[in-house]
Amino acid sequence: MSTNRESAIQVASVLSQALPYIQRFAGKTIVIKYGGNAMENEELKNSFARDIVLMKHVGINPIVVHGGGPQIGELLSKLNIESHFVNGMRVTDSATMDVVEMVLGGLVNKEIVALINRNGGKAIGLTGKDANLIRATQLKVEASLPEMQKSEIIDIGHVGEVSEVNQDVINMLTQSDVIPVIAPIGVGDDGRSYNINADLVAGKVAEELNAEKLMLLTNISGLQDKAGNVMTGLTTEQVDSLIADGTIYGGMLPKIGCALSAVNNGVTSAHIIDGRVAHATLLEIFTDEGVGTLITNSKRAE
């Protein structure tokens, strides 16, 4: 058998394996948080765009929410604006917020839109300020420093949390065969702009839309047990236990918190997937193996 024929058979086999998943998820909404290495590697950027276009063409409604922390930090450095962090969150004064809006709402958002469109999709970029898509309130941060006698509420400026998502805007776009690409910038009742964690925005959008899946691209292979093995399928109860015994800790806690909130509020499943793998989103949705950790609210993980 020729090499070309063997290759063709392998392609046909993959497509056949994907068929039941395509049938199952046609017409469903999947919210993908896009960030990390997948945003910084040219090959991975193109594979992600192709994944999103393919999902749309087989009848799935993908919604992309993106980050951009490294790009923000790079431009702040060029402008000689010093970055400060409290509990891992960037202190965002008015000057920093201007840069955040420029990077997230402009440079990063438009690059993603262009990549999707170049690969045959029809994407539109927007921020949470457009049509009041994401209403926000200022995030109150409680910090405890060694020199403090007790913890205090620290004002970190234009950093927000989601208070409301206008699903009508997203539905209007998806029903028009458009792929929304959302920058995580919200607007307050006073008109102020707020920088919001992209995982948090993706989770709240998924909850509001009763999405089938929330997919969070990360720079790790998935949630790992204490022996370093990837845990491919977990229930919310199991995740709570892993947090309690210290298996899940530190920087993963906010991301896991978004996933737990989503599946506890109507989203069928949440996925922590390895964004360093080409076509990671397709592998997670359309294959038996997947490339990360699946979290469900059922008594038994899928």
Side-chain angles (χ1 to χ4, degrees), residues 15 27-28 74 85 95 104 111 125 150 169 174 194 217 229 233 236 249 274 277:
L15 291 173
K28 304 291 188 180
E74 183 180 350
F85 293 87
L104 293 182
E111 180 186 22
K150 59 180 181 179
V169 176
T174 56
Y194 288 98
L217 272 68
N229 302 309
T236 52
Y249 64 95
D274 193 345
V277 176

PDB file of all heavy atoms in Angstrom, residues 15 27-28 74 85 95 104 111 125 150 169 174 194 217 229 233 236 249 274 277:
ATOM      1  N   LEU A  15     -11.748  11.476  10.480  1.00  0.00           N
ATOM      2  CA  LEU A  15     -13.024  12.111  10.185  1.00  0.00           C
ATOM      3  C   LEU A  15     -14.195  11.248  10.656  1.00  0.00           C
ATOM      4  O   LEU A  15     -15.183  11.753  11.193  1.00  0.00           O
ATOM      5  CB  LEU A  15     -13.143  12.379   8.680  1.00  0.00           C
ATOM      6  CG  LEU A  15     -12.209  13.450   8.111  1.00  0.00           C
ATOM      7  CD1 LEU A  15     -12.312  13.504   6.593  1.00  0.00           C
ATOM      8  CD2 LEU A  15     -12.547  14.822   8.709  1.00  0.00           C
ATOM      9  N   GLY A  27     -25.022  22.957  16.563  1.00  0.00           N
ATOM     10  CA  GLY A  27     -25.978  23.886  17.135  1.00  0.00           C
ATOM     11  C   GLY A  27     -25.666  24.319  18.552  1.00  0.00           C
ATOM     12  O   GLY A  27     -26.343  25.196  19.104  1.00  0.00           O
ATOM     13  N   LYS A  28     -24.640  23.720  19.172  1.00  0.00           N
ATOM     14  CA  LYS A  28     -24.266  24.068  20.546  1.00  0.00           C
ATOM     15  C   LYS A  28     -23.267  25.226  20.564  1.00  0.00           C
ATOM     16  O   LYS A  28     -22.564  25.481  19.586  1.00  0.00           O
ATOM     17  CB  LYS A  28     -23.644  22.861  21.248  1.00  0.00           C
ATOM     18  CG  LYS A  28     -24.513  21.609  21.262  1.00  0.00           C
ATOM     19  CD  LYS A  28     -25.715  21.769  22.145  1.00  0.00           C
ATOM     20  CE  LYS A  28     -26.447  20.434  22.301  1.00  0.00           C
ATOM     21  NZ  LYS A  28     -27.634  20.547  23.175  1.00  0.00           N
ATOM     22  N   GLU A  74       4.668  44.130  27.640  1.00  0.00           N
ATOM     23  CA  GLU A  74       5.696  44.561  26.686  1.00  0.00           C
ATOM     24  C   GLU A  74       5.517  46.014  26.289  1.00  0.00           C
ATOM     25  O   GLU A  74       6.492  46.785  26.257  1.00  0.00           O
ATOM     26  CB  GLU A  74       5.633  43.665  25.448  1.00  0.00           C
ATOM     27  CG  GLU A  74       6.710  43.971  24.409  1.00  0.00           C
ATOM     28  CD  GLU A  74       6.626  43.056  23.200  1.00  0.00           C
ATOM     29  OE1 GLU A  74       5.865  42.059  23.245  1.00  0.00           O
ATOM     30  OE2 GLU A  74       7.323  43.327  22.208  1.00  0.00           O
ATOM     31  N   PHE A  85       1.931  44.543  40.813  1.00  0.00           N
ATOM     32  CA  PHE A  85       0.940  43.477  40.935  1.00  0.00           C
ATOM     33  C   PHE A  85       0.562  43.275  42.397  1.00  0.00           C
ATOM     34  O   PHE A  85       1.409  43.374  43.291  1.00  0.00           O
ATOM     35  CB  PHE A  85       1.483  42.164  40.366  1.00  0.00           C
ATOM     36  CG  PHE A  85       1.693  42.202  38.869  1.00  0.00           C
ATOM     37  CD1 PHE A  85       2.888  42.669  38.333  1.00  0.00           C
ATOM     38  CD2 PHE A  85       0.694  41.771  38.012  1.00  0.00           C
ATOM     39  CE1 PHE A  85       3.091  42.707  36.965  1.00  0.00           C
ATOM     40  CE2 PHE A  85       0.884  41.804  36.643  1.00  0.00           C
ATOM     41  CZ  PHE A  85       2.075  42.273  36.114  1.00  0.00           C
ATOM     42  N   ALA A  95      -3.433  55.588  33.158  1.00  0.00           N
ATOM     43  CA  ALA A  95      -2.458  55.452  32.071  1.00  0.00           C
ATOM     44  C   ALA A  95      -2.309  53.997  31.648  1.00  0.00           C
ATOM     45  O   ALA A  95      -2.240  53.676  30.450  1.00  0.00           O
ATOM     46  CB  ALA A  95      -1.109  56.021  32.499  1.00  0.00           C
ATOM     47  N   LEU A 104      -5.501  45.115  24.152  1.00  0.00           N
ATOM     48  CA  LEU A 104      -6.543  44.093  24.096  1.00  0.00           C
ATOM     49  C   LEU A 104      -7.593  44.395  23.027  1.00  0.00           C
ATOM     50  O   LEU A 104      -7.942  43.540  22.217  1.00  0.00           O
ATOM     51  CB  LEU A 104      -7.225  43.947  25.462  1.00  0.00           C
ATOM     52  CG  LEU A 104      -6.382  43.381  26.604  1.00  0.00           C
ATOM     53  CD1 LEU A 104      -7.232  43.249  27.866  1.00  0.00           C
ATOM     54  CD2 LEU A 104      -5.789  42.032  26.237  1.00  0.00           C
ATOM     55  N   GLU A 111      -5.746  41.106  15.532  1.00  0.00           N
ATOM     56  CA  GLU A 111      -4.913  40.050  14.976  1.00  0.00           C
ATOM     57  C   GLU A 111      -5.676  38.722  14.955  1.00  0.00           C
ATOM     58  O   GLU A 111      -5.624  37.980  13.967  1.00  0.00           O
ATOM     59  CB  GLU A 111      -3.621  39.884  15.778  1.00  0.00           C
ATOM     60  CG  GLU A 111      -2.726  38.782  15.216  1.00  0.00           C
ATOM     61  CD  GLU A 111      -1.499  38.508  16.077  1.00  0.00           C
ATOM     62  OE1 GLU A 111      -1.511  38.835  17.277  1.00  0.00           O
ATOM     63  OE2 GLU A 111      -0.530  37.937  15.547  1.00  0.00           O
ATOM     64  N   GLY A 125     -14.536  41.464  15.968  1.00  0.00           N
ATOM     65  CA  GLY A 125     -13.947  41.727  17.265  1.00  0.00           C
ATOM     66  C   GLY A 125     -14.702  42.804  18.015  1.00  0.00           C
ATOM     67  O   GLY A 125     -15.192  43.771  17.423  1.00  0.00           O
ATOM     68  N   LYS A 150      -3.112  43.705  59.983  1.00  0.00           N
ATOM     69  CA  LYS A 150      -4.228  42.895  59.514  1.00  0.00           C
ATOM     70  C   LYS A 150      -4.416  43.148  58.027  1.00  0.00           C
ATOM     71  O   LYS A 150      -3.850  44.084  57.455  1.00  0.00           O
ATOM     72  CB  LYS A 150      -5.503  43.227  60.278  1.00  0.00           C
ATOM     73  CG  LYS A 150      -5.932  44.693  60.160  1.00  0.00           C
ATOM     74  CD  LYS A 150      -7.203  44.946  60.947  1.00  0.00           C
ATOM     75  CE  LYS A 150      -7.644  46.408  60.817  1.00  0.00           C
ATOM     76  NZ  LYS A 150      -8.900  46.660  61.553  1.00  0.00           N
ATOM     77  N   VAL A 169     -26.446  40.597  22.419  1.00  0.00           N
ATOM     78  CA  VAL A 169     -25.416  41.020  21.456  1.00  0.00           C
ATOM     79  C   VAL A 169     -24.737  39.797  20.851  1.00  0.00           C
ATOM     80  O   VAL A 169     -24.559  39.700  19.626  1.00  0.00           O
ATOM     81  CB  VAL A 169     -24.367  41.929  22.139  1.00  0.00           C
ATOM     82  CG1 VAL A 169     -23.248  42.285  21.167  1.00  0.00           C
ATOM     83  CG2 VAL A 169     -25.026  43.185  22.684  1.00  0.00           C
ATOM     84  N   THR A 174     -23.958  35.428  16.514  1.00  0.00           N
ATOM     85  CA  THR A 174     -23.889  34.008  16.167  1.00  0.00           C
ATOM     86  C   THR A 174     -25.005  33.613  15.204  1.00  0.00           C
ATOM     87  O   THR A 174     -24.807  32.776  14.317  1.00  0.00           O
ATOM     88  CB  THR A 174     -23.946  33.117  17.422  1.00  0.00           C
ATOM     89  OG1 THR A 174     -25.125  33.419  18.174  1.00  0.00           O
ATOM     90  CG2 THR A 174     -22.732  33.357  18.301  1.00  0.00           C
ATOM     91  N   TYR A 194     -12.895  48.806  32.656  1.00  0.00           N
ATOM     92  CA  TYR A 194     -12.287  47.902  33.616  1.00  0.00           C
ATOM     93  C   TYR A 194     -11.595  46.741  32.898  1.00  0.00           C
ATOM     94  O   TYR A 194     -12.154  46.139  31.980  1.00  0.00           O
ATOM     95  CB  TYR A 194     -13.335  47.338  34.580  1.00  0.00           C
ATOM     96  CG  TYR A 194     -13.840  48.354  35.574  1.00  0.00           C
ATOM     97  CD1 TYR A 194     -15.033  49.042  35.360  1.00  0.00           C
ATOM     98  CD2 TYR A 194     -13.107  48.651  36.722  1.00  0.00           C
ATOM     99  CE1 TYR A 194     -15.491  49.980  36.257  1.00  0.00           C
ATOM    100  CE2 TYR A 194     -13.556  49.593  37.639  1.00  0.00           C
ATOM    101  CZ  TYR A 194     -14.751  50.257  37.403  1.00  0.00           C
ATOM    102  OH  TYR A 194     -15.186  51.195  38.291  1.00  0.00           O
ATOM    103  N   LEU A 217      -7.672  27.419  27.472  1.00  0.00           N
ATOM    104  CA  LEU A 217      -6.345  27.029  26.987  1.00  0.00           C
ATOM    105  C   LEU A 217      -5.296  27.471  27.996  1.00  0.00           C
ATOM    106  O   LEU A 217      -5.301  28.614  28.465  1.00  0.00           O
ATOM    107  CB  LEU A 217      -6.066  27.661  25.620  1.00  0.00           C
ATOM    108  CG  LEU A 217      -6.530  26.856  24.397  1.00  0.00           C
ATOM    109  CD1 LEU A 217      -8.052  26.808  24.346  1.00  0.00           C
ATOM    110  CD2 LEU A 217      -5.984  27.444  23.112  1.00  0.00           C
ATOM    111  N   ASN A 229       0.594  12.893  37.167  1.00  0.00           N
ATOM    112  CA  ASN A 229      -0.209  12.307  36.100  1.00  0.00           C
ATOM    113  C   ASN A 229      -1.406  13.204  35.789  1.00  0.00           C
ATOM    114  O   ASN A 229      -2.064  13.710  36.705  1.00  0.00           O
ATOM    115  CB  ASN A 229      -0.715  10.920  36.512  1.00  0.00           C
ATOM    116  CG  ASN A 229       0.416   9.965  36.850  1.00  0.00           C
ATOM    117  OD1 ASN A 229       1.349   9.802  36.066  1.00  0.00           O
ATOM    118  ND2 ASN A 229       0.341   9.341  38.016  1.00  0.00           N
ATOM    119  N   GLY A 233     -10.541  13.141  33.488  1.00  0.00           N
ATOM    120  CA  GLY A 233     -11.958  13.344  33.740  1.00  0.00           C
ATOM    121  C   GLY A 233     -12.240  13.478  35.215  1.00  0.00           C
ATOM    122  O   GLY A 233     -11.880  12.610  36.010  1.00  0.00           O
ATOM    123  N   THR A 236     -17.127  17.797  39.762  1.00  0.00           N
ATOM    124  CA  THR A 236     -16.912  18.965  40.624  1.00  0.00           C
ATOM    125  C   THR A 236     -16.575  18.533  42.044  1.00  0.00           C
ATOM    126  O   THR A 236     -15.772  19.175  42.723  1.00  0.00           O
ATOM    127  CB  THR A 236     -18.159  19.859  40.632  1.00  0.00           C
ATOM    128  OG1 THR A 236     -19.320  19.070  40.955  1.00  0.00           O
ATOM    129  CG2 THR A 236     -18.380  20.512  39.279  1.00  0.00           C
ATOM    130  N   TYR A 249      -3.522  24.060  43.623  1.00  0.00           N
ATOM    131  CA  TYR A 249      -3.158  25.193  44.481  1.00  0.00           C
ATOM    132  C   TYR A 249      -2.587  26.324  43.628  1.00  0.00           C
ATOM    133  O   TYR A 249      -2.366  26.192  42.418  1.00  0.00           O
ATOM    134  CB  TYR A 249      -2.122  24.762  45.527  1.00  0.00           C
ATOM    135  CG  TYR A 249      -0.797  24.334  44.930  1.00  0.00           C
ATOM    136  CD1 TYR A 249       0.263  25.229  44.817  1.00  0.00           C
ATOM    137  CD2 TYR A 249      -0.605  23.030  44.440  1.00  0.00           C
ATOM    138  CE1 TYR A 249       1.475  24.840  44.243  1.00  0.00           C
ATOM    139  CE2 TYR A 249       0.581  22.639  43.877  1.00  0.00           C
ATOM    140  CZ  TYR A 249       1.629  23.558  43.778  1.00  0.00           C
ATOM    141  OH  TYR A 249       2.818  23.172  43.198  1.00  0.00           O
ATOM    142  N   ASP A 274      -4.359  21.834  26.901  1.00  0.00           N
ATOM    143  CA  ASP A 274      -2.971  22.224  26.640  1.00  0.00           C
ATOM    144  C   ASP A 274      -2.887  23.039  25.345  1.00  0.00           C
ATOM    145  O   ASP A 274      -2.912  22.479  24.243  1.00  0.00           O
ATOM    146  CB  ASP A 274      -2.098  20.971  26.539  1.00  0.00           C
ATOM    147  CG  ASP A 274      -0.617  21.284  26.579  1.00  0.00           C
ATOM    148  OD1 ASP A 274      -0.249  22.464  26.404  1.00  0.00           O
ATOM    149  OD2 ASP A 274       0.172  20.342  26.789  1.00  0.00           O
ATOM    150  N   VAL A 277      -0.351  22.435  22.260  1.00  0.00           N
ATOM    151  CA  VAL A 277      -0.535  21.372  21.279  1.00  0.00           C
ATOM    152  C   VAL A 277      -1.304  21.921  20.081  1.00  0.00           C
ATOM    153  O   VAL A 277      -2.356  22.542  20.243  1.00  0.00           O
ATOM    154  CB  VAL A 277      -1.311  20.193  21.896  1.00  0.00           C
ATOM    155  CG1 VAL A 277      -1.585  19.123  20.860  1.00  0.00           C
ATOM    156  CG2 VAL A 277      -0.547  19.618  23.091  1.00  0.00           C
TER     157      VAL A 277
END
